[in-house]
């Protein structure tokens, strides 16, 4: 899931490049300006009537953006929020995503060990199985 969403962000904006400024399931100490998509707990997969297995899953991702300035970190997180909120009935890589929906607005999560601001938002993700 994080790889599909990450590839989408990479393709839609020059802010992120997978493996350089966008990371999956971790946020390394460098570079100073970076983002990460982290898979977190969602809810149980759903079954359509008569199906033998899950028809779609509702996972959750946590997107964090860090920079040396609050304005830059916030702008990156806001840009991700706008792009992710727009995903609806789209194929990302080879998986069909029914919807990505923000759980809340972007917020200041923390300042890391170097004092850099980290902004974040959580998203519910419905993906066809």
């Amino acid at each position: 899931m994080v790889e599909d969403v990450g590839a989408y962000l990479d393709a839609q904006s020059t802010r992120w490049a997978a493996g350089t400024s966008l990371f999956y399931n971790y946020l390394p100490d460098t570079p100073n300006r970076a983002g990460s998509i982290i898979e977190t707990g969602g809810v149980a997969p759903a079954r359509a009537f008569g199906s033998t297995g899950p028809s779609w899953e509702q996972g959750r991702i946590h997107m964090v953006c860090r920079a040396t300035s609050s304005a830059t970190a916030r702008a990156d997180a806001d840009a991700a929020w706008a792009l992710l909120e727009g995903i609806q009935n789209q194929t990302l890589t080879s998986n069909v995503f029914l919807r990505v929906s923000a759980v809340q607005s972007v917020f200041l999560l923390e300042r890391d060990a170097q004092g850099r601001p980290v902004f974040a938002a959580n998203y519910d993700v419905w993906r066809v199985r």
Side-chain angles (χ1 to χ4, degrees), residues 81 84-85 99-106 121-124 126:
W81 192 93
L84 295 175
E85 267 288 308
R99 180 87 174 103
V100 175
S101 180
V103 174
Q104 77 277 96
S105 295
V106 171
N122 295 297
Y123 303 85
D124 286 327
W126 289 268

Side-chain angles (χ1 to χ4, degrees), residues 77-94:
D78 285 340
W81 192 93
L83 286 169
L84 295 175
E85 267 288 308
I87 297 172
Q88 185 171 314
N89 297 320
Q90 287 181 253
T91 300
L92 306 182
T93 312
S94 61

Side-chain angles (χ1 to χ4, degrees), residues 56-67:
W56 67 86
E57 64 182 339
Q58 183 181 342
R60 186 170 276 182
I61 58 173
H62 180 68
M63 175 79 190
V64 298
C65 295
R66 176 188 68 215

Side-chain angles (χ1 to χ4, degrees), residues 12-30:
Q12 297 297 314
S13 176
T14 58
R15 291 178 189 265
W16 300 284
T20 303
S21 61
L22 180 64
F23 303 91
Y24 304 144
N25 290 317
Y26 77 105
L27 185 61
D29 288 335
T30 59

Side-chain angles (χ1 to χ4, degrees), residues 27 31 43 45 75-76 85 101 109 125:
L27 185 61
V43 299
D76 288 349
E85 267 288 308
S101 180
L109 177 66
V125 180

